[in-house]
Amino acid sequence: MSNIKLLERTLPVAPLKIVAMESCKELGEKVNDYIVSFRENTICEVNSSSPLYVNYESSNYLVNCSCPRFGSGEGKGILKETIRGTDLFIMTDVCNYSLTYTLNGRVNHMSPDDHFQDLKRIISAATGKARRINVIMPFLYESRQHKRTKRESLDCAIALEELNAMGVSNIITFDAHDPRVQNAIPLSGFDSFNPPYQFMKALFHAVPDLKADKEHLMIISPDEGAMHRAVYFSNVLGVDMGMFYKRRDYSTVINGKNPIVAHEFLGDDVEGKDVIIIDDMISSGESMLDVAKQLKDFNVARVFVCTTFGLFTEGFDKFDEYYEKGYIDRVVTTNLTYLPPIVDEKPYFVKADMSKFLALIIDSLNHDTTIGAVLNPTDKIHSLLEKRLGKV
């Protein structure tokens, strides 16, 4: 049974309200539009005159809110309408560096720490009046600092415990760097979703002649950490996979990490095949581009890069250069984090829209229905492949 059919047979936990923080405003508006559309169709199938469906159908589920700041840089969260008794979903993008605030006359760009503080301010402004509070944080705050190897802070675990202590019932994230961070809050809801279906859909649309079979395609993991993604992707598509592992200089620390000395490849022959490099994020893109260049040295046909989060912390110059040299053919990333407008001008850039997927997750959780089908996109990918084969 499809998720939409399940929603038609169940009642919501409480009236739905969505807080799209300033950092996540555009994505939040798209999600709201999809939910409005879902419910317009659903309400036709049920007895809409029933008092159980009061406030169910609305033209807008977004809450009017803001996080203004004083001249000193201190801030506060304000909810400009009641959220009493609602099932509140708060969406935030901790990687949106485009937002600024004034600190003693100087302009500061907001960091992940600033966004996380604003999230807590909005939760505090709800003052416990919501029926349930759910946080949607696509890029999990401090998720790259998820384990301790020496005398280090455990920032991600502390952040999750903070949200739990503030009364957050569910935390929804995407492609968590290491999902085991949920062990910090074992009795609370924590879901990490992955976008492989959206990757394939976007790739098929952007590259009409892409053939997803064993003779023409191979999945590549750029390092050991991305292995589980590559294994799943290759199994679902029925193609082979390969892996690079990083040799690092552990005697040196540059920009908070040990520099990579070389990438070594493990896997079958890739000559003449298209390859998809899959990972959770592009930060500077240095290691991803190095892997793409090495694959081209192995005489692969085309290189497609798929990552959930495109942070591009050092800009696009290197990506432009590698595209012009033919080392990369497409870079696919989602709209779950901020992307500068310039990406729309890049001939190699493909955006995988996640707004409908997010809307379905929110609507399912609001109805307390199973999200098993949402968590596991295998059937959707197989259906996409069958449609693709039918067109070829």
Side-chain angles (χ1 to χ4, degrees):
M1 186 181 295
S2 70
N3 281 67
I4 297 297
K5 291 293 181 185
L6 283 171
L7 300 184
E8 291 175 359
R9 297 185 177 197
T10 55
L11 289 169
V13 172
L16 173 65
K17 284 291 182 180
I18 301 171
V19 170
M21 306 282 287
E22 187 65 24
S23 60
C24 218
K25 191 173 181 181
E26 184 179 346
L27 182 60
E29 289 172 349
K30 287 183 177 180
V31 167
N32 175 69
D33 291 343
Y34 272 116
I35 294 178
V36 168
S37 174
F38 292 164
R39 297 199 169 184
E40 280 178 352
N41 296 327
T42 302
I43 206 72
C44 298
E45 306 295 328
V46 298
N47 181 11
S48 58
S49 62
S50 168
L52 295 171
Y53 285 90
V54 173
N55 301 323
Y56 183 77
E57 186 183 15
S58 172
S59 60
N60 180 40
Y61 296 95
L62 294 172
V63 174
N64 188 4
C65 66
S66 64
C67 287
R69 289 181 181 264
F70 302 101
S72 60
E74 298 165 288
K76 62 180 177 180
I78 304 174
L79 293 172
K80 300 178 182 179
E81 59 185 87
T82 180
I83 48 83
R84 187 182 295 275
T86 61
D87 193 14
L88 189 64
F89 288 80
I90 307 174
M91 298 174 60
T92 184
D93 174 12
V94 299
C95 293
N96 190 337
Y97 59 86
S98 70
L99 301 181
T100 60
Y101 64 93
T102 303
L103 173 62
N104 288 81
R106 295 180 176 84
V107 175
N108 269 19
H109 284 266
M110 290 186 70
S111 71
D113 292 342
D114 293 318
H115 287 299
F116 188 66
Q117 286 300 117
D118 277 355
L119 168 64
K120 291 192 291 183
R121 289 180 176 116
I122 290 297
I123 295 172
S124 174
T127 59
K129 300 300 189 293
R131 173 78 173 274
R132 185 172 68 174
I133 296 178
N134 313 272
V135 168
I136 298 176
M137 192 186 298
F139 186 96
L140 186 61
Y141 173 70
E142 289 292 352
S143 57
R144 299 176 78 179
Q145 185 52 30
H146 62 283
K147 63 182 179 180
R148 178 180 284 153
T149 56
K150 45 190 171 183
R151 290 183 296 276
E152 297 177 329
S153 57
L154 281 171
D155 296 44
C156 190
I158 291 170
L160 293 176
E161 287 183 339
E162 265 191 284
L163 294 178
N164 188 44
M166 294 185 78
V168 173
S169 300
N170 296 301
I171 296 171
I172 297 99
T173 190
F174 283 81
D175 216 344
H177 200 62
D178 188 338
R180 288 175 295 182
V181 294
Q182 66 185 291
N183 293 340
I185 50 168
L187 300 181
S188 295
F190 181 99
D191 289 299
S192 178
F193 295 90
N194 294 298
Y197 169 70
Q198 285 76 14
F199 284 156
M200 290 311 301
K201 191 175 178 181
L203 259 180
F204 281 151
H205 184 263
V207 187
D209 61 340
L210 178 64
K211 295 179 180 178
D213 58 47
K214 209 166 187 176
E215 289 72 37
H216 299 93
L217 184 66
M218 194 164 174
I219 308 300
I220 303 295
S221 171
D223 55 37
E224 312 92 287
M227 270 289 288
H228 66 282
R229 299 179 186 91
V231 168
Y232 172 78
F233 222 168
S234 63
N235 283 334
V236 171
L237 295 177
V239 301
D240 292 330
M241 67 157 285
M243 182 195 102
F244 282 84
Y245 67 91
K246 298 173 182 175
R247 284 200 289 115
R248 294 181 180 271
D249 179 4
Y250 287 98
S251 65
T252 309
V253 177
I254 298 175
N255 293 331
K257 57 187 179 182
N258 304 109
I260 298 166
V261 176
H263 287 94
E264 304 289 352
F265 181 68
L266 297 172
D268 290 335
D269 184 21
V270 294
E271 186 174 353
K273 294 183 178 181
D274 291 332
V275 296
I276 297 175
I277 309 173
I278 187 163
D279 206 354
D280 61 334
M281 74 175 78
I282 291 175
S283 184
S284 66
E286 177 188 347
S287 60
M288 188 72 78
L289 291 172
D290 187 44
V291 165
K293 185 176 182 298
Q294 286 198 47
L295 286 167
K296 276 294 183 178
D297 291 340
F298 296 154
N299 296 318
V300 301
R302 293 176 293 187
V303 176
F304 307 116
V305 175
C306 291
T307 62
T308 308
F309 307 109
L311 305 183
F312 302 103
T313 57
E314 294 184 14
F316 295 89
D317 291 346
K318 198 77 172 176
F319 286 86
D320 294 342
E321 178 191 339
Y322 273 48
Y323 174 71
E324 287 165 10
K325 289 181 177 179
Y327 296 145
I328 57 173
D329 293 86
R330 293 288 189 275
V331 176
V332 183
T333 190
T334 72
N335 59 342
L336 291 171
T337 52
Y338 172 75
L339 293 167
I342 195 172
V343 300
D344 296 325
E345 302 171 13
K346 305 296 180 185
Y348 53 83
F349 190 84
V350 179
K351 192 184 296 182
D353 185 18
M354 300 294 289
S355 52
K356 186 175 183 180
F357 188 29
L358 257 174
L360 186 57
I361 291 169
I362 291 173
D363 217 13
S364 298
L365 288 173
N366 181 235
H367 285 78
D368 254 357
T369 60
T370 177
I371 55 172
V374 184
L375 273 168
N376 183 8
T378 305
D379 292 339
K380 282 188 172 183
I381 295 175
H382 284 162
S383 176
L384 185 66
L385 291 173
E386 287 171 10
K387 288 179 184 176
R388 180 76 173 180
L389 288 170
K391 292 179 181 178
V392 174

